[in-house]
Amino acid sequence: MGTTYSIKLVEENIDSIYIHNSIDNILEDINTQMSTYIDNSCISNFNDLEIGDSLNIKSDFTDVFNKAHYYNSLTNGSFEVTIKPLIDLWGFENANYRTNIPDSSSIKSALISIGINNIKLRDDYLYKIDSVSLDFSAIAKGYAVDNIATFLKENLIYNFMVEIGGELSLSGYNSENKKWSIGVQNPSLNNISSTLNLMLTNKAIATSGNYRNFFTHEGISYSHIISPITGYPIDNNILSVTVISDQCIDADALATSLIVMSIKDGINLIDKIEGTEAFYITKESENLYSKGFKNFVR
């Protein structure tokens, strides 16, 4: 997945070798299905299909695709896993493009290939109805976190923290028998006093930000987060969004969606989703919350 992972277990008498190997197998299986960096992965094989062809997929792939479809509908297109042509065009997977800005005609052409509704799922087969390409980078990490959390609970391990690339699942309590303490730092400030401390148990958390991965051209910075609606990198007042939810796949997808949407629309959406909260940091270091977020602040 192009990132690191960390898992903390607060248990005694566990078979650490079995747990470690099993987790590696879970991650390897998801990676071989959903990584665009692997030429023969399931997602790469789908992207290589001709229009009208289909591909048999595993249940993991089905679960992620269905969840992506759900959030695409819920966010009116702000969450879109067929955004790969725009990612390729803007060069965030190809450093050679980073010295150039795509012209408007190229962006309009790429936008024609955006739309999850151009893919149909029937009986474990994914059908390519039009020229589309998938990229699960905004949702696969969260799904992997949830899978590991489920595996640990199936093995009677209930006190743990699972983290993949900054997306987390927290269960039970830490080694001090307290809720897990998670820090969310204001990326515009570089001091420890700017960190918001959260106390979490039996929750997942994900953060999306546009302050780390970007490039600058002629004095203008371009975020790696591209709007599937406009075809351009987002250019708004949001520095980062943190989402707390019951499942990490939901927190992951929503964090990406909210950074594309307006703050007003994002908070209105979150306030309608039970068990889910959001926290925004703006470029002016303003902190904005959904209704129940402060319940998690220490």
Side-chain angles (χ1 to χ4, degrees):
M1 299 182 193
T3 189
T4 61
Y5 77 89
S6 172
I7 298 169
K8 295 182 180 180
L9 309 179
V10 188
E11 299 288 345
E12 296 180 358
N13 302 319
I14 63 170
D15 185 344
S16 59
I17 295 176
Y18 165 73
I19 296 295
H20 193 167
N21 289 341
S22 297
I23 288 170
D24 278 347
N25 289 337
I26 290 170
L27 293 173
E28 181 67 20
D29 188 35
I30 292 174
N31 219 30
T32 56
Q33 292 182 66
M34 305 180 197
S35 174
T36 56
Y37 297 100
I38 299 174
D39 290 339
N40 63 346
S41 67
C42 182
I43 200 167
S44 294
N45 289 338
F46 175 82
N47 291 343
D48 290 338
L49 289 179
E50 298 293 331
I51 295 174
D53 288 345
S54 64
L55 183 71
N56 184 232
I57 57 176
K58 293 183 177 181
S59 60
D60 287 327
F61 205 97
T62 298
D63 291 343
V64 172
F65 178 81
N66 283 334
K67 186 69 78 168
H69 207 295
Y70 169 77
Y71 279 111
N72 178 263
S73 177
L74 188 69
T75 63
N76 295 316
S78 292
F79 185 80
E80 179 59 77
V81 291
T82 63
I83 200 170
K84 191 173 188 303
L86 285 169
I87 294 173
D88 293 342
L89 181 65
W90 280 93
F92 287 100
E93 290 186 2
N94 185 340
N96 292 331
Y97 275 99
R98 295 195 176 189
T99 57
N100 302 297
I101 301 301
D103 57 50
S104 59
S105 61
S106 298
I107 293 170
K108 288 180 181 178
S109 178
L111 280 169
I112 295 173
S113 299
I114 306 300
I116 196 170
N117 290 327
N118 290 319
I119 303 171
K120 301 300 178 185
L121 175 62
R122 289 197 299 269
D123 300 326
D124 298 327
Y125 279 84
L126 212 56
Y127 292 81
K128 183 179 284 194
I129 307 302
D130 208 335
S131 178
V132 288
S133 298
L134 286 168
D135 188 320
F136 284 163
S137 59
I139 197 171
K141 289 198 298 293
Y143 180 76
V145 168
D146 290 335
N147 271 24
I148 294 171
T150 297
F151 164 76
L152 293 174
K153 290 175 182 178
E154 288 174 346
N155 283 269
L156 307 181
I157 299 172
Y158 300 105
N159 299 296
F160 59 78
M161 180 187 76
V162 178
E163 179 266 336
I164 301 178
E167 324 295 28
L168 298 101
S169 176
L170 299 313
S171 178
Y173 299 93
N174 63 19
S175 58
E176 298 177 348
N177 201 32
K178 297 179 181 179
K179 292 181 180 180
W180 295 91
S181 178
I182 304 299
V184 179
Q185 188 171 10
N186 187 331
S188 67
L189 302 173
N190 292 317
N191 60 77
I192 197 164
S193 63
S194 68
T195 300
L196 182 72
N197 290 313
L198 308 177
M199 301 300 291
L200 299 172
T201 182
N202 303 324
K203 283 288 187 179
I205 183 170
T207 297
S208 182
N210 62 11
Y211 52 90
R212 283 195 180 128
N213 192 356
F214 62 91
F215 70 92
T216 302
H217 178 70
E218 295 182 353
I220 301 174
S221 294
Y222 294 87
S223 167
H224 77 288
I225 301 174
I226 300 170
S227 168
I229 299 169
T230 67
Y232 286 83
I234 59 169
D235 182 19
N236 56 31
N237 197 38
I238 302 170
L239 202 58
S240 71
V241 184
T242 297
V243 175
I244 297 172
S245 192
D246 292 331
Q247 298 292 317
C248 199
I249 190 172
D250 299 301
D252 200 3
L254 282 168
T256 300
S257 303
L258 296 189
I259 207 164
V260 174
M261 302 167 66
S262 71
I263 295 176
K264 179 181 177 181
D265 288 345
I267 290 180
N268 286 341
L269 173 63
I270 291 297
D271 284 339
K272 295 175 183 177
I273 304 175
E274 186 176 354
T276 303
E277 303 296 341
F279 166 61
Y280 290 79
I281 299 175
T282 70
K283 292 178 180 177
E284 289 77 27
S285 297
E286 182 182 15
N287 297 342
L288 301 171
Y289 308 85
S290 58
K291 289 180 180 178
F293 189 89
K294 289 187 178 180
N295 293 333
F296 298 100
V297 178
R298 183 168 64 181

